[in-house]
Amino acid sequence: MTAFFTEGQSDPTVQPVPASVVERVDAADTTLQNPRRAVLSLGSNLGNRLETLQGAIDALEDTPGVRIKAVSPVYETEPWGVAPGTQPTYFNAVVVLKTTLPPSSLLERAHAVEEAFHRVRDERWGPRTIDVDIVSYADEVSDDPVLTLPHPRAHERAFVLAPWHDVEPEAQLPGRGPVAQLLADVTREGVAPRADLELQLPE
């Protein structure tokens, strides 16, 4: 994906999607009947982190009933919930997609992608090759313990809010309000944009 900048753009991490790519994605949408919009958060702190994130994005795009609409810039973040320096840093990103899959099937696919990249669940907050979380699904609000919607901690995580805000500045987190305001309310300490890295929107 090529980045296009206009004079006056101050944030090099926000990379508009070329119109040709948008047209192809929109054309693919015609294969989906009444799709719903979902936001997924991706993170990796083991192995080739950027390659793994891209592989997960490509695997999601290859899912019947899923079309990736936007891929955020990459952020490098300190691990959540552990002592500083005890784990490698994460690469994090957010994808916005349209899907005809119900939330339960989208969750199954997210877990299948994690498994394909050898995600190990030995410990809570442990390091992982890939983490795929459903942040929101349409406007659904659910306290189902298997899949709580929206993600119960998304509103307090800058590594989710910052990349999401980059691709959807007007986004709303159901039940919580504007992502821009939520981002303003949390600290960005330990969450840094990596303008030198880029993930590709699947074509």
Side-chain angles (χ1 to χ4, degrees):
M1 185 175 71
T2 304
F4 293 93
F5 303 106
T6 58
E7 192 169 342
Q9 274 188 306
S10 58
D11 188 351
T13 67
V14 180
Q15 302 165 354
V17 179
S20 59
V21 174
V22 173
E23 288 170 6
R24 285 197 294 273
V25 172
D26 287 343
D29 271 351
T30 62
T31 65
L32 301 182
Q33 297 298 316
N34 301 315
R36 312 295 294 279
R37 179 182 157 283
V39 178
L40 274 60
S41 173
L42 309 177
S44 173
N45 76 333
L46 291 178
N48 188 325
R49 296 167 293 174
L50 189 69
E51 185 177 284
T52 299
L53 291 181
Q54 186 65 60
I57 291 167
D58 294 343
L60 289 167
E61 174 67 15
D62 287 341
T63 305
V66 171
R67 291 289 179 268
I68 304 291
K69 297 293 292 182
V71 178
S72 78
V74 178
Y75 281 75
E76 186 168 11
T77 68
E78 294 294 332
W80 177 273
V82 299
T86 59
Q87 288 185 28
T89 57
Y90 275 85
F91 285 173
N92 287 97
V94 160
V95 297
V96 179
L97 56 83
K98 286 189 175 181
T99 183
T100 54
L101 299 179
S104 59
S105 296
L106 188 60
L107 180 64
E108 288 177 4
R109 181 55 176 163
H111 287 167
V113 170
E114 291 179 339
E115 191 172 309
F117 286 92
H118 310 294
R119 161 72 186 274
V120 176
R121 298 178 181 273
D122 286 341
E123 57 179 302
R124 191 180 190 196
W125 313 124
R128 64 284 309 263
T129 52
I130 187 68
D131 191 22
V132 182
D133 285 330
I134 300 176
V135 177
S136 68
Y137 182 97
D139 294 323
E140 292 200 17
V141 176
S142 167
D143 59 2
D144 186 327
V146 176
L147 177 57
T148 303
L149 292 171
H151 191 286
R153 292 174 295 279
H155 66 284
E156 59 190 26
R157 292 179 168 178
F159 66 80
V160 173
L161 299 171
W164 186 7
H165 182 260
D166 285 341
V167 291
E168 290 194 313
E170 306 301 321
Q172 301 265 339
L173 184 64
R176 294 288 183 177
V179 169
Q181 184 59 53
L182 296 172
L183 181 58
D185 291 342
V186 301
T187 175
R188 290 199 188 212
E189 184 178 353
V191 178
R194 286 293 302 268
D196 57 317
L197 303 176
E198 185 179 6
L199 294 166
Q200 304 291 323
L201 184 70
E203 298 185 17

